[in-house]
Amino acid sequence: MAEKQCSAFRTTIGGQALIEGILMRGPEKQCIVVRGPEGLVIKEEELRLIKDRYPVLGLPLIRGGVTFLDSMVKGVKALMFSADYYPDEEETAAEPSRFEQWLDRKLGNEKMEKVVIGLSVVVAVCFSIGLFMLLPTFLASFVELVTDSVLVRNLVDAVLRIAIFMTYMIAVSRMKDIRRVFSYHGAEHKTIFCYERRLELTVENVRVQPKHHPRCGTSFMLVVIIVAILVNTVVFALFPVGNVFLRMLIQLLLLPLVVGITYEFNRYVGGHDNPVTNFLASPGLWMQNFTTFEPDDSMIEVAIEAMKRVIPAEEGKDEWGR
């Protein structure tokens, strides 16, 4: 066991928990595995990265936003795929609505799916930005009725951002269906840990692995909020802006920079193991107490199947920092 632990490495393979399934993404392809009523449903596809066609989009600070949007689109597609196999007890054989029939005639199934995915991504991004960034800034503006201190206003803004985000995550984690998704999240983490420790991918080996992973993608949003707090504090301390709506607009304009910094931060922390990076990763690990739960063996089986299908044939091709 000691020799295997010494040969452990860090992989770039990552995943996403779905509805009764898991998406795993490797350097060459991604795989969706869903546990449907009749067994496992598997969908593999080669990865086509936009930065391969446009190298400028792979430059530091720029690649963060591009990767984030690409992950959002692929994630929504995977969720829609997994939802098709989710047994809905209330499902009826009702005829499609007139609106649905009109969309189908005008757009066709493929185009309609793209429209739905696009709208879903836009709604998700707008909801996150509005709830976790713009709303706290608006609420913090009422502090100006008591004091004109920029420092106090920024402090209240920061506290509200983190409080709203954590309240939302804790509330969501208590929902029964979401808790199962978060259990699949735990299966994903455990399987990646097992693979990184070069152990055979079996249910027994995966089950004993930690469920908190330092390179968890869902910790990204928390780090975005923290980085946004730091960036906004510096910007508005140097260039005070009195109008709350103008401050909100400036925050929107700064968002690509914030996402870019967060992405580079996560890459650096994920590629190093020392007391400093471990400390920097600790907020994301703590948040996983609300987004990652212990899986059962059937969930682990799904994660193992998805992982096996994205491991590159060339050994080491998925090694972090290569």
Side-chain angles (χ1 to χ4, degrees):
M1 176 66 73
E3 292 182 0
K4 289 183 178 180
Q5 289 288 359
C6 289
S7 65
F9 75 109
R10 293 167 181 249
T11 181
T12 57
I13 294 176
Q16 175 184 329
L18 306 173
I19 301 172
E20 296 300 323
I22 285 177
L23 160 69
M24 283 287 189
R25 185 177 303 154
E28 301 170 331
K29 62 181 178 178
Q30 69 175 28
C31 179
I32 301 171
V33 179
V34 177
R35 186 173 292 282
E38 298 180 1
L40 296 185
V41 180
I42 300 169
K43 179 182 180 182
E44 293 184 45
E45 58 183 338
E46 299 295 322
L47 283 180
R48 296 184 179 89
L49 302 178
I50 190 170
K51 67 180 182 180
D52 293 336
R53 286 183 290 168
Y54 307 100
V56 67
L57 299 181
L59 295 176
L61 294 182
I62 297 176
R63 60 189 175 186
V66 174
T67 301
F68 175 73
L69 288 176
D70 182 66
S71 298
M72 285 283 292
V73 171
K74 286 184 170 64
V76 170
K77 285 183 179 179
L79 278 171
M80 291 177 62
F81 178 83
S82 66
D84 288 340
Y85 297 92
Y86 183 68
D88 187 355
E89 297 177 358
E90 299 179 359
E91 186 176 346
T92 63
E95 289 290 327
S97 66
R98 290 184 178 180
F99 179 67
E100 291 173 328
Q101 293 176 15
W102 180 84
L103 282 177
D104 189 41
R105 287 196 306 270
K106 295 295 182 181
L107 301 177
N109 288 333
E110 186 175 345
K111 288 184 178 180
M112 186 166 68
E113 181 182 358
K114 290 181 179 180
V115 170
V116 171
I117 291 171
L119 288 175
S120 299
V121 171
V122 170
V123 170
V125 171
C126 290
F127 174 79
S128 300
I129 293 173
L131 182 61
F132 305 133
M133 295 190 175
L134 299 185
L135 178 61
T137 297
F138 177 75
L139 295 177
S141 67
F142 290 99
V143 172
E144 296 170 352
L145 299 175
V146 180
T147 177
D148 58 358
S149 171
V150 175
L151 180 61
V152 172
R153 187 188 68 205
N154 288 343
L155 179 62
V156 172
D157 189 346
V159 170
L160 285 173
R161 286 179 188 227
I162 295 175
I164 291 173
F165 179 71
M166 293 311 306
T167 300
Y168 174 82
M169 294 308 302
I170 293 171
V172 167
S173 69
R174 295 180 180 275
M175 299 170 62
K176 181 180 177 181
D177 290 339
I178 299 299
R179 193 176 183 90
R180 279 193 64 82
V181 173
F182 287 170
S183 294
Y184 274 100
H185 191 195
E188 173 219 327
H189 284 184
K190 286 172 173 281
T191 303
I192 292 175
F193 258 128
C194 185
Y195 171 66
E196 289 182 321
R197 291 171 177 176
R198 302 187 190 277
L199 299 173
E200 184 182 358
L201 291 175
T202 65
V203 172
E204 292 73 20
N205 286 341
V206 171
R207 189 190 299 130
V208 298
Q209 303 302 321
K211 63 183 175 69
H212 292 179
H213 200 286
R215 295 185 299 285
C216 172
T218 52
S219 302
F220 186 81
M221 191 62 192
L222 176 61
V223 183
V224 165
I225 291 174
I226 295 173
V227 172
I229 290 171
L230 297 175
V231 170
N232 292 336
T233 298
V234 172
V235 169
F236 293 128
L238 295 175
F239 308 99
V241 177
N243 186 285
V244 61
F245 296 106
L246 182 56
R247 285 201 302 272
M248 292 163 68
L249 176 61
I250 293 173
Q251 287 181 16
L252 289 176
L253 296 176
L254 289 172
L255 190 56
L257 175 63
V258 169
V259 173
I261 293 173
T262 303
Y263 180 80
E264 301 305 326
F265 170 85
N266 281 1
R267 278 180 62 90
Y268 179 80
V269 171
H272 296 78
D273 185 10
N274 57 59
V276 174
T277 56
N278 292 339
F279 172 77
L280 294 174
S282 58
L285 288 172
W286 175 79
M287 196 195 77
Q288 290 178 45
N289 289 316
F290 310 105
T291 63
T292 310
F293 300 130
E294 285 291 338
D296 59 35
D297 288 355
S298 66
M299 297 174 180
I300 292 175
E301 290 172 355
V302 170
I304 290 174
E305 185 64 34
M307 170 62 84
K308 287 181 176 179
R309 292 173 178 269
V310 300
I311 296 174
E314 179 187 340
E315 185 175 355
K317 189 172 184 178
D318 61 313
E319 190 167 351
W320 194 275
R322 174 168 171 169

